[in-house]
Amino acid sequence: GDSVTQMEGPVTLSEEAFLTINCTYTATGYPSLFWYVQYPGEGLQLLLKATKADDKGSNKGFEATYRKETTSFHLEKGSVQVSDSAVYFCALKPSRETSYDKVIFGPGTSLSVIP
Amino acid sequence: NAGVMQNPRHLVRRRGQEARLRCSPMKGHSHVYWYRQLPEEGLKFMVYLQKENIIDESGMPKERFSAEFPKEGPSILRIQQVVRGDSAAYFCASSPNLQGPEQYFGPGTRLTVT
């Protein structure tokens, strides 16, 4: 079945460091891919998305590129801030448009940024 | 445009009591999803509903748990005879239609069973 795998956390970085959170997926066809972020005590917010191969999603300095050949959607940011401390979830929605398919979430990666 | 609303934000119940969690989707959204997040774990899908219909309840425990999304009013997740293991954050999400890829999440209800 379809699945999402993320690098295990927690990840601890100093402010202004470069961030990479790896995400790989297993799915048939061309799923849509997402990164969601969950700040402490809150619900999930959509951070960015990509709906087809080679698309790059970007938002708030974060980027991720849909790589069909490596089935990956790694999250990157050039310079993290303390306010980026949160849990990041990679997710996919299968591409079968004629019937319902639920969004599948990865286990989440906790990021702590220290001043 | 108000986002997805959930209430209460925090709910404390004693073992054996009932818990009722409410979710109002975003305006114009007719698809509602419930997820459970246990401490230090990811999101687990529970149930997907449209107005007056349960579409997929494959993630919901067979006993004590039920969900509804009536024609009028919010979606309700009901947990009867709660146990300590039900303590978790319960999140609701909504989407406008079947083809829309992303979901919009509410702030969650944190249930504590004492």
Side-chain angles (χ1 to χ4, degrees):
Chain A
D2 299 343
S3 65
V4 176
T5 303
Q6 288 181 238
M7 64 186 287
E8 288 191 21
V11 174
T12 302
L13 294 174
S14 298
E15 208 165 19
E16 298 184 4
F18 185 87
L19 169 71
T20 299
I21 300 179
N22 290 339
C23 170
T24 56
Y25 68 90
T26 301
T28 55
Y30 291 86
S32 295
L33 301 174
F34 311 89
W35 278 100
Y36 283 85
V37 58
Q38 183 181 29
Y39 298 104
E42 298 184 11
L44 276 72
Q45 302 174 25
L46 180 66
L47 181 60
L48 53 85
K49 68 179 180 182
T51 57
K52 61 182 187 295
D54 300 325
D55 266 3
K56 177 186 283 188
S58 61
N59 185 25
K60 299 181 182 179
F62 291 88
E63 292 183 343
T65 301
Y66 189 142
R67 301 284 188 203
K68 179 70 175 174
E69 64 276 13
T70 55
T71 62
S72 64
F73 193 54
H74 303 322
L75 182 68
E76 296 181 336
K77 186 175 186 182
S79 175
V80 293
Q81 306 301 313
V82 172
S83 57
D84 293 326
S85 298
V87 180
Y88 293 82
F89 293 89
C90 186
L92 72 83
K93 186 176 190 294
S95 58
R96 294 177 279 276
E97 294 183 356
T98 55
S99 63
Y100 157 71
D101 267 302
K102 53 182 168 280
V103 175
I104 297 167
F105 288 87
T109 301
S110 175
L111 170 67
S112 293
V113 180
I114 54 177
Chain B
N1 187 12
V4 177
M5 298 174 67
Q6 289 187 250
N7 66 80
R9 293 292 306 275
H10 300 273
L11 181 62
V12 179
R13 285 287 178 267
R14 286 196 290 270
R15 279 180 298 171
Q17 291 185 318
E18 178 180 281
R20 289 167 61 94
L21 289 62
R22 287 176 288 277
C23 168
S24 297
M26 286 182 70
K27 188 176 180 179
H29 286 195
S30 57
H31 300 242
V32 167
Y33 313 80
W34 284 94
Y35 296 86
R36 177 164 61 177
Q37 186 177 38
L38 294 168
E40 307 303 322
E41 293 189 18
L43 280 175
K44 300 298 182 185
F45 167 80
M46 297 183 74
V47 61
Y48 160 48
L49 309 104
Q50 295 178 24
K51 286 282 187 182
E52 300 183 282
N53 282 304
I54 297 175
I55 308 302
D56 180 353
E57 56 182 347
S58 59
M60 203 142 73
K62 294 289 187 284
E63 297 179 353
R64 304 189 296 109
F65 285 73
S66 62
E68 62 178 15
F69 189 17
K71 187 176 180 181
E72 302 290 338
S75 176
I76 306 287
L77 178 68
R78 184 182 292 110
I79 311 172
Q80 296 177 305
Q81 298 176 324
V82 296
V83 301
R84 288 225 172 97
D86 296 333
S87 296
Y90 292 83
F91 291 97
C92 168
S94 71
S95 66
N97 52 53
L98 191 62
Q99 278 68 42
E102 67 262 33
Q103 299 177 1
Y104 298 83
F105 281 79
T109 294
R110 278 155 182 82
L111 172 66
T112 302
V113 179
T114 61

